[in-house]
Amino acid sequence: MLEELIVNCINWHRWSSASVSSPTLKRLTIDGEQYLHHILRVSRREQIAPEKFKPKEPYAIPPDYGSANPRDVSFDTPNLIYLNYSDIVACNYPLVKLDSLVEARLDVGSNTSQMHARDSDEFQVRWDATNLIMGIQNVKILHLTSATIEVIEDFCKTVPVFHNLNHLSIESDDERGWQALPLLLTNCPNLQTLLFHGLHHRVTDGCGDACDCISSPPPPSPSCLSSCPVKILKILDFGATCGEMSLVEHFLKKLPLLEKVIIVLQCESFIEEGCDRIKVSKALEMSPRASSNCKLKVVNH
């Protein structure tokens, strides 16, 4: 009768594979990144109050601890409605049955060896996340980290059309690229809300932004945003840098059905020097817009 399962601290140095199989499970959280953090927290507490923590032997953490990836991960959970999956990408996902999934959060990244293999001149894909991404195609709400977007680009043979998706949330990272983001946006024909947690990302050879036509040499390629049905665009942790301002102006110029744009500035000490809410708002108000119904709102953190 199990309906919710939370699995933290998976240690792939001891396990090699995992399979979750349940016809009753509705909510599932798998976090493979917390084990090393937990060990470090305990170790710090021992240093602060050693009299309370007296392990038989001191902790010896291998250099690559917390970076091992599983061989196989399967989800045979046809009635699951919520999935929160955070881990190093597996070599393969043999079975992914998520027919009822409504909301998913994926933080599936590459470890050091996978990134080195990806960046080598003789790159051969030994990891396949295709089934995982194909398996979540029925979701309505999807949260992706930048690490996951890189995995989609590097380790997926195809990307599904997300017909039911109406809310997409992207977490940014200035060390991760957004090369797969244009394809994702193109494959969301009913997307209503697009949310960015920051606009920081690594510029790659293929695509340095959220739209192909920004990075393309002349003549520019058609914009993936021109057919995007997004009505609400929300950007958190906005730093008002030149790159961020240009990207927002591009969104305004290309999204044809946009109705509302909400920009939340970072704390004033972190945003571009000389910028404040009024200046950012005035600068963006002057930008051309594809939608005459678009309303812009800039607020402080």
Side-chain angles (χ1 to χ4, degrees), residues 92-107:
N92 194 23
Y93 295 86
L95 176 63
V96 180
K97 190 173 180 59
L98 300 167
D99 303 336
S100 304
L101 198 62
V102 175
E103 181 176 359
R105 183 185 186 277
L106 297 186
D107 182 11

Side-chain angles (χ1 to χ4, degrees), residues 138-152:
N138 293 327
V139 293
K140 295 181 179 179
I141 303 171
L142 180 59
H143 311 275
L144 298 176
T145 62
S146 286
T148 308
I149 294 175
E150 276 199 337
V151 163
I152 292 173

Side-chain angles (χ1 to χ4, degrees), residues 57-74:
E57 297 180 359
Y59 289 112
I61 303 175
D64 61 343
Y65 208 90
S67 64
N69 68 296
R71 185 181 70 238
D72 296 326
V73 174
S74 291

Side-chain angles (χ1 to χ4, degrees), residues 236-249:
L236 308 180
D237 298 326
F238 188 71
T241 64
C242 292
E244 290 172 301
M245 293 290 286
S246 296
L247 188 51
V248 174
E249 290 171 355

Side-chain angles (χ1 to χ4, degrees), residues 19-269:
S19 176
V20 182
S21 179
S22 170
T24 59
L25 201 63
K26 294 182 178 179
R27 298 180 64 86
L28 172 63
T29 297
I30 295 181
D31 193 337
E33 297 181 346
Q34 295 300 320
Y35 191 85
L36 177 59
H37 300 165
H38 171 72
I39 292 294
L40 293 177
R41 283 199 303 270
V42 172
S43 178
R44 292 191 191 103
R45 291 203 302 268
E46 291 172 0
Q47 294 173 11
I48 296 172
E51 67 281 357
K52 294 183 180 180
F53 301 93
K54 297 180 180 180
K56 296 179 180 179
E57 297 180 359
Y59 289 112
I61 303 175
D64 61 343
Y65 208 90
S67 64
N69 68 296
R71 185 181 70 238
D72 296 326
V73 174
S74 291
F75 300 95
D76 185 9
T77 49
N79 290 305
L80 197 72
I81 60 176
Y82 174 79
L83 172 66
N84 186 345
Y85 177 40
S86 177
D87 203 358
I88 304 297
V89 64
C91 293
N92 194 23
Y93 295 86
L95 176 63
V96 180
K97 190 173 180 59
L98 300 167
D99 303 336
S100 304
L101 198 62
V102 175
E103 181 176 359
R105 183 185 186 277
L106 297 186
D107 182 11
V108 184
S110 308
N111 59 20
T112 303
S113 62
Q114 290 169 330
M115 287 190 285
H116 286 169
R118 177 199 64 194
D119 295 336
S120 69
D121 295 333
E122 300 178 355
F123 175 50
Q124 293 182 348
V125 177
R126 291 179 290 155
W127 306 274
D128 191 350
T130 305
N131 283 350
L132 174 64
I133 303 303
M134 295 296 293
I136 64 169
Q137 62 182 298
N138 293 327
V139 293
K140 295 181 179 179
I141 303 171
L142 180 59
H143 311 275
L144 298 176
T145 62
S146 286
T148 308
I149 294 175
E150 276 199 337
V151 163
I152 292 173
E153 170 66 23
D154 296 330
F155 306 131
C156 286
K157 298 174 183 177
T158 186
V159 176
V161 176
F162 295 90
H163 290 285
N164 298 329
L165 188 64
N166 56 49
H167 182 108
L168 176 62
S169 172
I170 304 294
E171 295 181 18
S172 65
D173 185 336
D174 54 12
E175 295 183 358
R176 302 285 186 173
W178 278 358
Q179 194 163 328
L181 188 52
L183 178 59
L184 281 172
L185 294 177
T186 301
N187 285 15
C188 300
N190 297 300
L191 187 63
Q192 299 293 299
T193 301
L194 179 60
L195 171 63
F196 287 97
H197 294 266
L199 291 175
H200 317 291
H201 56 279
R202 181 172 64 93
V203 176
T204 62
D205 294 336
C207 178
D209 283 294
C211 185
D212 280 329
C213 64
I214 296 180
S215 303
S216 300
S221 61
S223 173
C224 66
L225 303 177
S226 297
S227 59
C228 187
V230 165
K231 294 182 179 180
I232 300 174
L233 173 65
K234 188 170 184 177
I235 302 171
L236 308 180
D237 298 326
F238 188 71
T241 64
C242 292
E244 290 172 301
M245 293 290 286
S246 296
L247 188 51
V248 174
E249 290 171 355
H250 188 72
F251 284 133
L252 293 171
K253 187 178 180 180
K254 296 295 183 180
L255 289 169
L257 301 179
L258 203 56
E259 296 179 357
K260 183 186 298 184
V261 177
I262 302 173
I263 296 176
V264 181
L265 296 176
Q266 291 179 346
C267 296
E268 291 186 6
S269 59

